[in-house]
Amino acid sequence: MKGTSRKVWLLGLALAITLAPAAVAGGNPNSKSAKGGASSATKEVEPGPPLALEVRLVNLQKNSNGGVASVSLDALASVDLQEVTLTVKLPQDITFADGSRVYTQTINLSAGSTFDLPKDLIVGKDGKYTVSIEASGTTSQGKPVRRGLAYKLLVGAQDKLPPVKDGAIEYQGAPGGGN
Amino acid sequence: MRLLKTGTLLTLLWAASGMAYANWTASGTFRYVDREFDQNGFTGAEPSLPIRLANVEVRDFNLNGSKALLATGSTDANGNFSIAVTDTKTRTVYVRVVSASTAVATLYLRVENVLTPKNTYAVSSANVPNHTPSTNVNFGTVTAGIGAGAEPFNIYDVALRSVDYLASLNGGVRPGSSNLLTLEWEPFSGNTVSDYDFGNKRVHVGDPSSYNDTVIQHETGHYAYHLNSANDSPGGVHHLTDCSMDLRLAFEEGRATYFGQSVRRFYALSRPDLYVKTTGAPGPGNLDFYFNIESETPYYCDGAASEVAVQSSLWDINDAAGVADGTPGVDDDTLSRPDADSWDVHKNYIPSSTNKSLEDFWDGWFVRGKGFKSAMEATFDLTNAEFFQDSSEPNNTSATAMPNPGTGNPVHQSYFADSNGDGTGEADNDYFSFNATAGTAYTIETLNLWGDANTSLELLASNGSTVLASNDNRTPADFTSLINYTPSSSGTLYVRSFHSTDLGIYGSYDLKISGNAPVDADSDGYNSSVDCNDNNASIHPGATEVCDGVDQDCDGIRDDGFPDGDADGWASCGGDCNDANASVNPGRTEVCNGIDDNCAGGIDEGFDADSDGFTSCGGDCNDANAAVHPGVTEVCNGIDDNCAGGIDEGFDVDGDGFTTCGGDCNDGNPAIRPNATENCSNGVDDNCNNLTDAQDPACQSDTVVITKAEWKPQGNKLTVWATSTQAPSAVLTLVGYGTMVYDSVNNRYTLTRNNTPNPGSVTVTSSQGGSDTETVTVL
């Protein structure tokens, strides 16, 4: 049980927090982050490394079968990251413009920065494809950071749920499978 | 009205015929395909698991709404169901399992899609057509496959485990009807991040996480503490590498992960120490990231301000050597307390604390009488959450200050006082003393903050209370503390170190006190604190001043006592080369002005970059080109060689504005120059473009294009075709062969010659100006 004195100054702190603007925790290993912000979150999000990956489909030039998908890979760093190696692997029937199916690039990212990698993907035929992206690097404190992402590329194909039947999205089960 | 009549009629028919409601039993098993994982992602193992404690509906395939629903039941712990159905009709029937629990006593769980409208998920059996109402049906085993309904039922099963683990902590009582746990997931909704919504007790499962069991269990951890404990977390994005998180956020996130992994430990699932997130892509591998809650791999942090340290500390309280983690049979701590002990603290102490953090859990552990103080200290020390007194205690006043030699060796300290030894901590003041020497520059600082050690320092006088200097934060972004102080007299000084006001009161740090005593390097009897040149024994306070531009007596004035005519601080005997001009002395910077400003003996040194003897202020109009400066001979080259202000002066004899090197092809005739108008009939190249009269495009009114120029060795036959923009009025001539014939059908001119040698190239000219030349193609 903490002492009464602590309760008193915590009350004062609570008031100070209410009046002070919220601050963002810094990456300085000695900083203890400005302890602002409201209490009792409305949402708690899942844990993650300080690097996020995102793929955006910028344009799809459809051919009679297949096409050219222009995508943009974004790598967003929340802290300084050194030697982040980005690897993009393409499935069968998709290549980069130079005919290869694996692309690798190593970059340094500063806190709050976004690296944008635009790429044209040559898609040989219509279908549903999974493009794999990996990124690995280290923080300035030497901690390894790794992320992976699977981007589903649809060319001349669609993903959709089965129909709703009486309040339920109803899949057809398969007989057997009792192991 | 019509429906009523029909229903009445049916009832009458049933009564008249003597029909009775028949009973039949629908039975079978529902399962789903799971995906197993390890720290590399999916293992590739995809076993079938029972769909447990979920609603089962017996339905008429050909009807909709409530009419289709013939009976409702649920699966048991093995996915089996057996439902009695009352029916009267022969019809096509089937069963489906639904991701909801309304038919399961005391369970309030639902998995639905993300986008509106909201619906549960279901997996259906094959139809049984023409089913008579008295025939039992065993639908066999029906399995939901990957991409075909298995995902929502994996989410359902993972959440069910969390709910039942929670029930085990609460004496076997599951959350009630007002605490329905809803999980939403949809494969193509576009949201990859999972979260827990406190307002709606709803877990959002990100697109790729339908098989990321540990991600789902983490979010259900928030649900468990939401219902049974309390938190002050501000929420929001948080990172595993952040060792300086908001204490409250670190605690809530760390304990949610601890809860989720504890579910896996409770049910003896594989590798409960691993938190794994995959990309969700098919096949083995496809890891997004992972971490180990036991070892903190690969994210290591110290103390309560890190979710990684929080979850690891909480985990170590309950885990044991027998847990099937990465080191089965071995545990890195001696504690193995029941989950119920930790739960009691979360449930019955944390809600009453303020700014809830791991510090409060620590205190609550002892307030709730859980004991094992030494083992707890050692366990939390594994993550450098040093919730115990350091070796300098009790040093809470100047009277009990810990002596420090002041030699710069760091001393590791913790802000943690426990005056009664009961385990719960108190705010701590750490006092230190050191013997200070007058004139010595002292540095007092804190370093290496762990947990929430937000340090503040005060330097106190020999009376132990007067504050001589203080510092809270070294910089706005660095919450270590730093005091630099040079005492004017020798004696004992005190340092008070205390936790600055923030969310917590504990934490660890290093204290360092170091002094730099002044030295007398030149042994002239004066140390560096007063000697203005401690490397020259003839320079020190009291030395005799001589006129040499140097301050011998360290009074701040050079050559004091000697004449300084321009009062610029430099005497002529001290090096002032112009004692009548205050802008000239040895301390000035040389500028390009034709005089020696700095008395270095040169004029404008450094301002003749091309070393041609002329400075930029001395008339050199290009100080990067040694061939350009005043005095050189101007040549015709388009630049001002002699810096006389003109370019190529003397090279335009006819005064037409063009020099010979500037393109004038006749510098004796002003009418001939580059921009003159070409006279098309004077036989002269007037505009100096090397084309005379009709050769000049300016004189060409016809555009001639040779469209064919061929020569066949067989018959030595030359064929030339050409077009003219002035056809047919123009007369085209194949030079050397004669006039070409106009072909009105094809609107072209042609000429063919047999028995003529290959000319190599041909030229066609027009009577109206214009021509074209082409190489002859040999066929």
Side-chain angles (χ1 to χ4, degrees):
Chain A
M1 180 183 298
K2 295 189 169 63
T4 306
S5 59
R6 184 189 184 206
K7 304 261 184 213
V8 171
W9 68 253
L10 285 176
L11 280 173
L13 176 63
L15 178 60
I17 288 171
T18 305
L19 297 174
V24 178
N28 187 319
N30 284 334
S31 82
K32 287 155 284 189
S33 68
K35 312 294 187 185
S39 61
S40 298
T42 55
K43 277 190 179 179
E44 294 282 6
V45 299
E46 65 176 84
L51 174 65
L53 299 176
E54 183 183 5
V55 174
R56 290 176 289 121
L57 179 63
V58 177
N59 186 46
L60 177 60
Q61 179 187 319
K62 185 71 183 68
N63 298 332
S64 58
N65 193 13
V68 179
S70 299
V71 300
S72 180
L73 165 63
D74 290 340
L76 300 87
S78 300
V79 301
D80 290 346
L81 295 173
Q82 280 81 48
E83 297 197 352
V84 177
T85 299
L86 288 170
T87 303
V88 183
K89 295 179 182 175
L90 302 180
Q92 198 73 31
D93 296 324
I94 301 185
T95 66
F96 294 109
D98 64 0
S100 65
R101 287 176 43 216
V102 178
Y103 177 85
T104 300
Q105 183 173 354
T106 300
I107 55 175
N108 290 329
L109 293 169
S110 56
S113 69
T114 299
F115 174 74
D116 179 49
L117 177 65
K119 282 289 177 188
D120 285 339
L121 309 181
I122 313 302
V123 184
K125 61 181 182 183
D126 289 351
K128 300 176 181 179
Y129 301 96
T130 299
V131 177
S132 298
I133 301 103
E134 291 179 10
S136 59
T138 56
T139 68
S140 54
Q141 286 78 42
K143 294 179 183 177
V145 170
R146 184 196 194 284
R147 292 310 303 254
L149 177 70
Y151 174 69
K152 197 165 191 179
L153 177 63
L154 305 178
V155 178
Q158 277 191 321
D159 263 338
K160 59 180 181 180
L161 291 169
V164 174
K165 191 168 184 180
D166 289 343
I169 300 163
E170 189 174 290
Y171 291 90
Q172 180 66 51
N179 38 326
Chain B
M1 178 63 82
R2 184 171 181 176
L3 284 174
L4 179 61
K5 286 181 177 176
T6 304
T8 304
L9 180 60
L10 287 173
T11 303
L12 292 173
L13 286 173
W14 167 76
S17 64
M19 284 179 61
Y21 281 108
N23 294 323
W24 62 280
T25 300
S27 61
T29 303
F30 278 109
R31 302 179 73 88
Y32 75 97
V33 178
D34 190 21
R35 302 181 71 185
E36 294 187 348
F37 56 86
D38 60 18
Q39 66 189 49
N40 298 310
F42 291 118
T43 63
E46 295 176 347
S48 147
L49 299 180
I51 296 176
R52 303 178 299 127
L53 306 188
N55 286 1
V56 175
E57 295 175 354
V58 184
R59 300 177 61 84
D60 184 325
F61 179 77
N62 295 313
L63 296 177
N64 292 315
S66 59
K67 289 183 178 177
L69 185 60
L70 305 179
T72 300
S74 65
T75 58
D76 63 14
N78 297 311
N80 301 323
F81 64 92
S82 178
I83 301 171
V85 186
T86 301
D87 200 1
T88 60
K89 289 177 58 178
T90 297
R91 55 174 109 213
T92 298
V93 296
Y94 75 104
V95 291
R96 71 180 189 182
V97 64
V98 181
S99 59
S101 65
T102 51
V104 183
T106 75
L107 180 62
Y108 301 94
L109 181 62
R110 175 182 171 91
V111 176
E112 62 186 23
N113 64 316
V114 175
L115 305 175
T116 304
K118 301 282 190 183
N119 292 289
T120 55
Y121 291 91
V123 171
S124 63
S125 70
N127 290 336
V128 175
N130 302 316
H131 173 257
T132 55
S134 59
T135 305
N136 294 335
V137 178
N138 185 335
F139 288 87
T141 297
V142 179
T143 301
I146 297 172
E151 289 84 355
F153 285 98
N154 181 64
I155 295 169
Y156 188 91
D157 198 61
V158 169
L160 175 58
R161 280 209 172 88
S162 292
V163 168
D164 278 349
Y165 173 65
L166 175 58
S168 77
L169 296 171
N170 283 329
V173 179
R174 290 181 178 136
S177 60
S178 62
N179 291 317
L180 168 70
L181 173 58
T182 303
L183 301 97
E184 60 177 26
W185 172 81
E186 191 163 335
F188 327 117
S189 66
N191 190 340
T192 61
V193 178
S194 301
D195 60 49
Y196 176 68
D197 177 353
F198 283 86
N200 297 299
K201 296 168 187 157
R202 175 180 291 267
V203 171
H204 172 84
V205 180
D207 281 12
S209 288
S210 55
Y211 280 110
N212 290 333
D213 296 2
T214 53
V215 176
I216 299 166
Q217 280 158 335
H218 168 95
E219 300 304 338
T220 61
H222 289 304
Y223 165 80
Y225 293 119
H226 179 199
L227 301 189
N228 296 277
S229 183
N231 81 83
D232 295 323
S233 169
V237 175
H238 51 100
H239 298 302
L240 294 160
T241 59
D242 186 358
C243 302
S244 303
M245 293 172 67
D246 182 306
L247 277 183
R248 304 164 302 180
L249 178 60
F251 181 60
E252 178 62 19
E253 292 300 334
R255 70 173 177 170
T257 299
Y258 151 76
F259 180 94
Q261 302 304 124
S262 295
V263 174
R264 297 185 63 78
R265 174 171 46 77
F266 182 78
Y267 286 106
L269 302 180
S270 66
R271 294 302 301 273
D273 53 332
L274 291 181
Y275 180 102
V276 179
K277 184 178 182 187
T278 69
T279 67
N286 296 306
L287 178 69
D288 182 353
F289 68 91
Y290 89 100
F291 57 84
N292 187 311
I293 189 174
E294 168 93 352
S295 66
E296 293 190 77
T297 305
Y299 310 109
Y300 304 94
C301 279
D302 300 315
S306 154
E307 65 179 290
V308 173
V310 168
Q311 65 208 21
S312 185
S313 297
L314 296 176
W315 173 263
D316 280 342
I317 294 173
N318 308 124
D319 80 323
V323 173
D325 56 17
T327 56
V330 177
D331 196 5
D332 61 357
D333 59 86
T334 59
L335 272 178
S336 181
R337 305 306 305 149
D339 291 8
D341 281 7
S342 300
W343 184 249
D344 177 62
V345 178
H346 288 292
K347 186 171 183 177
N348 296 313
Y349 178 81
I350 292 295
S352 65
S353 64
T354 306
N355 291 324
K356 300 161 185 54
S357 74
L358 188 66
E359 295 183 2
D360 298 288
F361 179 88
W362 176 269
D363 289 343
W365 180 268
F366 296 101
V367 170
R368 298 292 299 174
K370 306 306 175 189
F372 293 87
K373 180 168 174 276
S374 296
M376 281 288 285
E377 288 175 348
T379 297
F380 274 50
D381 194 23
L382 292 174
T383 61
N384 289 326
E386 297 179 321
F387 296 161
F388 50 80
Q389 296 191 137
D390 58 52
S391 59
S392 298
E393 295 291 336
N395 59 336
N396 301 320
T397 66
S398 58
T400 58
M402 173 62 68
N404 187 289
T407 54
N409 291 325
V411 181
H412 189 64
Q413 299 290 298
S414 65
Y415 287 135
F416 190 91
D418 184 7
S419 56
N420 61 5
D422 66 354
T424 60
E426 301 140 16
D428 190 17
N429 281 286
D430 292 334
Y431 280 78
F432 306 89
S433 64
F434 67 100
N435 293 321
T437 302
T440 296
Y442 287 94
T443 299
I444 303 110
E445 59 188 326
T446 57
L447 302 163
N448 302 323
L449 308 185
W450 289 354
D452 183 49
N454 186 352
T455 60
S456 193
L457 290 175
E458 288 179 350
L459 178 66
L460 308 177
S462 297
N463 63 9
S465 58
T466 302
V467 178
L468 300 175
S470 65
N471 178 250
D472 183 1
N473 298 326
R474 186 180 297 249
T475 70
D478 183 350
F479 296 142
T480 60
S481 306
L482 170 67
I483 293 175
N484 290 309
Y485 188 77
T486 303
S488 57
S489 59
S490 299
T492 300
L493 297 181
Y494 296 91
V495 174
R496 176 185 172 229
S497 171
F498 58 99
H499 199 297
S500 291
T501 301
D502 68 7
L503 298 172
I505 61 172
Y506 304 153
S508 308
Y509 64 99
D510 290 344
L511 177 80
K512 185 177 167 185
I513 302 174
S514 54
N516 291 315
V519 296
D520 179 11
D522 55 10
S523 300
D524 60 1
Y526 296 87
N527 65 44
S528 57
S529 67
V530 292
D531 192 339
C532 57
N533 185 344
D534 203 30
N535 294 312
N536 187 336
S538 64
I539 298 174
H540 55 77
T544 301
E545 191 76 9
V546 295
C547 189
D548 60 355
V550 176
D551 176 18
Q552 273 82 16
D553 58 5
C554 295
D555 65 353
I557 304 171
R558 74 176 65 81
D559 303 340
D560 44 325
F562 294 92
D564 178 8
D566 55 10
D568 62 356
W570 295 84
S572 58
C573 58
D576 193 341
C577 56
N578 186 345
D579 205 24
N581 183 348
S583 298
V584 176
N585 60 53
R588 306 294 295 191
T589 299
E590 189 71 12
V591 295
C592 194
N593 56 4
I595 65 171
D596 180 10
D597 305 272
N598 60 2
C599 297
I603 296 174
D604 299 341
E605 62 269 24
F607 290 94
D608 179 12
D610 56 8
S611 301
D612 60 1
F614 293 84
T615 62
S616 55
C617 61
D620 193 341
C621 55
N622 185 346
D623 201 27
N625 185 347
V628 176
H629 58 77
V632 301
T633 301
E634 188 74 11
V635 294
C636 192
N637 58 2
I639 65 172
D640 179 10
D641 305 275
N642 58 5
C643 297
I647 295 173
D648 300 342
E649 60 270 28
F651 290 93
D652 180 14
V653 175
D654 58 8
D656 62 1
F658 291 90
T659 62
T660 51
C661 63
D664 193 341
C665 53
N666 186 343
D667 202 27
N669 184 350
I672 298 175
R673 60 185 188 278
N675 64 352
T677 302
E678 184 73 13
N679 183 329
C680 298
S681 59
N682 64 354
V684 172
D685 175 16
D686 304 276
N687 57 7
C688 296
N689 66 351
N690 294 322
L691 298 171
T692 303
D693 294 353
Q695 292 176 332
D696 195 317
C699 297
Q700 294 176 355
S701 57
D702 189 9
T703 300
V704 177
V705 177
I706 297 173
T707 57
K708 176 184 282 189
E710 296 175 351
W711 182 80
K712 291 183 178 178
Q714 187 175 13
N716 295 328
K717 183 179 180 182
L718 175 67
T719 303
V720 178
W721 293 356
T723 60
S724 164
T725 56
Q726 301 299 321
S729 61
V731 176
L732 300 192
T733 300
L734 180 61
V735 176
Y737 296 90
T739 303
M740 301 180 76
V741 178
Y742 178 66
D743 175 356
S744 60
V745 175
N746 295 304
N747 188 29
R748 69 188 174 210
Y749 294 82
T750 65
L751 188 147
T752 301
R753 286 285 185 273
N754 292 316
N755 299 317
T756 185
N758 179 10
S761 66
V762 292
T763 299
V764 174
T765 60
S766 170
S767 60
Q768 297 184 17
S771 65
D772 189 22
T773 300
E774 278 292 331
T775 300
V776 174
T777 301
V778 178
L779 300 177

